[in-house]
Amino acid sequence: MTHAIVNPDGLHDPVPFGYSHTAAIPAGAELVLIAGQYGSDPDGAVVSADFAEQVKRTFHNIGVALAAHGLGFEHVVQLRTYVVNHDVDRLGPIAGAVRELWGTEPPAQTLVGVAALAAPDVLFEVEALAVRP
């Protein structure tokens, strides 16, 4: 087992929103930290001004980073997402992407609304923490 996802009784069901409340990492596991990825092509250019397209490409890039360590999305235990000018309409594309990748056991996740990210056309960024058993 690489990790355990737990959504305790007494807390709301976070899964429809694209996250879980907790993730436990077993002793002796190796942690892999993935720096903030955004919706870029291999040259670093933002692929689209469309928020949903940036979300999709960002998670693709997370997958590329995971694969570089021989890992997949199932090894991710935590995400930190940053959304420029966050509003409730932006939750749909994020939760949809998370459901597509993790189904009913998404990683723990924190979403932070920000005024800006590293470049003016970047609207979405994700950091990931993965576990190698």
Side-chain angles (χ1 to χ4, degrees), residues 8-60:
D9 291 339
L11 297 177
H12 72 278
D13 180 7
V15 174
F17 301 103
Y19 72 98
S20 290
H21 288 295
T22 72
I25 301 166
E30 177 185 4
L31 299 180
V32 177
L33 294 90
I34 298 173
Q37 300 296 306
Y38 62 100
S40 67
D41 65 19
D43 295 322
V46 174
V47 296
S48 174
D50 179 70
F51 182 78
E53 286 298 316
Q54 286 194 29
V55 169
K56 182 178 177 180
R57 183 59 187 225
T58 298
F59 282 112
H60 166 83

Side-chain angles (χ1 to χ4, degrees), residues 22-129:
T22 72
I25 301 166
E30 177 185 4
L31 299 180
V32 177
L33 294 90
I34 298 173
Q37 300 296 306
Y38 62 100
S40 67
D41 65 19
D43 295 322
V46 174
V47 296
S48 174
D50 179 70
F51 182 78
E53 286 298 316
Q54 286 194 29
V55 169
K56 182 178 177 180
R57 183 59 187 225
T58 298
F59 282 112
H60 166 83
N61 292 348
I62 293 286
V64 170
L66 288 165
H69 292 274
L71 302 173
F73 289 101
E74 70 275 13
H75 296 100
V76 174
V77 296
Q78 184 181 37
L79 300 171
R80 284 185 205 91
T81 57
Y82 302 90
V83 179
V84 173
N85 299 323
H86 173 62
D87 65 33
V88 115
D89 293 336
R90 294 203 164 172
L91 290 176
I94 299 167
V98 169
R99 270 192 305 276
E100 184 177 317
L101 294 168
W102 287 280
T104 60
E105 286 202 358
Q109 180 177 186
T110 299
L111 185 148
V112 180
V114 296
L117 290 164
D121 49 350
V122 176
L123 303 175
F124 182 72
E125 185 173 329
V126 176
E127 298 174 32
L129 176 64

